[in-house]
Amino acid sequence: MTVSLTPEALSSPEASPQAQALAGLLSQAQARDKAEPGRFYVAEVLNKFSTIANAAPAPGRAAPKLEPVEDIPLDPLRQPREYLERMLRDAVRAEDPDSALAILADARKQARRLLNSLDRSRFLERLRSHGELLARRFVPGILERMRLSAAGHDKAAVVRLVDTAMAFVEYAPNWRPRVLKARETAVNTLAVLEQFGPMDEKTGLPVPKPPVMPQESDGY
């Protein structure tokens, strides 16, 4: 591990816990050297530098975090390119597929309103590329959730997930075969469950229904 020994680096709020610990020890050693002439506490600290630099952070001490920086507002009419590029950035940062798709759809709509034909064509190509990257990120998880939802006999969730996956196919047509295959499998699973009820994961057969107990006679 490399630890800078410059005063600026050691005292920086973003310095590593090891660097901060070293800065504190050096400060104490310098004070003791002044108070006790002839002693060499700073040299002793430097002799133990490797141990200090490689030490684990002190318990309970969290790594320094950067404060989030708020975006400067942009005027879409005066700064259309910057405004639309920020929308693409926000789509990439989206934490769920529905949010990412909503931002992409809005960006496409805004591009048609704000850009001339040449700039619009170039931007829509970039938007398609971003959509393709987002499809690669989100679609595998969507297909897995589709499978689990079908196995859980959740038809509404399957329909919703199919719609979301097909929305990504618009940006990434190469995903179409896998999405259609997953949809077919989910539909077949739902059909089997509708007809036979839940399946036994071990045997792949329908779970036997409990026997119907004969009704007791009331004596008449």
Side-chain angles (χ1 to χ4, degrees):
M1 175 179 178
T2 302
V3 177
S4 174
L5 295 179
T6 64
E8 294 80 7
L10 293 177
S11 61
S12 170
E14 288 77 27
S16 68
Q18 293 91 340
Q20 293 177 357
L22 180 60
L25 291 174
L26 285 174
S27 178
Q28 296 175 19
Q30 287 176 338
R32 294 186 67 181
D33 278 348
K34 291 181 179 179
E36 303 177 41
R39 302 300 297 270
F40 302 97
Y41 291 104
V42 169
E44 183 179 347
V45 170
L46 293 177
N47 284 336
K48 297 178 180 179
F49 171 76
S50 178
T51 301
I52 297 170
N54 292 307
R61 174 180 249 172
K65 297 182 179 179
L66 296 177
E67 293 295 328
V69 178
E70 294 186 2
D71 287 329
I72 300 173
L74 296 174
D75 185 340
L77 296 178
R78 295 182 178 180
Q79 302 165 286
R81 294 182 182 178
E82 294 85 350
Y83 180 79
L84 292 168
E85 287 295 328
R86 181 174 292 179
M87 295 185 76
L88 292 183
R89 181 207 66 183
D90 292 344
V92 172
R93 291 182 177 181
E95 297 182 358
D96 63 88
D98 291 324
S99 297
L101 286 169
I103 296 172
L104 290 178
D106 190 24
R108 181 163 51 185
K109 178 181 177 181
Q110 296 296 331
R112 291 170 177 165
R113 181 175 69 92
L114 298 172
L115 300 178
N116 60 46
S117 59
L118 179 59
D119 288 341
R120 181 168 62 249
S121 178
R122 292 173 177 172
F123 176 78
L124 291 179
E125 180 60 27
R126 283 179 47 73
L127 184 144
R128 188 201 62 79
S129 297
H130 278 66
E132 190 172 7
L133 291 174
L134 288 167
R136 193 181 308 168
R137 171 185 169 190
F138 286 120
V139 171
I142 294 172
L143 300 186
E144 176 63 14
R145 288 162 55 198
M146 190 188 304
R147 183 187 69 82
L148 295 174
S149 297
H153 203 187
D154 190 343
K155 184 176 181 180
V158 170
V159 172
R160 183 172 64 253
L161 291 166
V162 168
D163 289 343
T164 301
M166 291 303 294
F168 278 112
V169 167
E170 181 180 351
Y171 300 99
N174 58 309
W175 279 97
R176 180 181 295 275
R178 290 182 60 181
V179 171
L180 294 180
K181 181 63 177 177
R183 181 180 66 179
E184 180 183 4
T185 301
V187 169
N188 290 340
T189 300
L190 290 172
V192 170
L193 292 176
E194 286 286 347
Q195 184 173 359
F196 299 106
M199 309 296 288
D200 188 328
E201 293 183 359
K202 295 181 179 179
T203 65
L205 300 174
V207 176
K209 296 181 179 179
V212 177
M213 300 299 294
Q215 294 182 351
E216 296 182 1
S217 173
D218 55 6
Y220 292 96

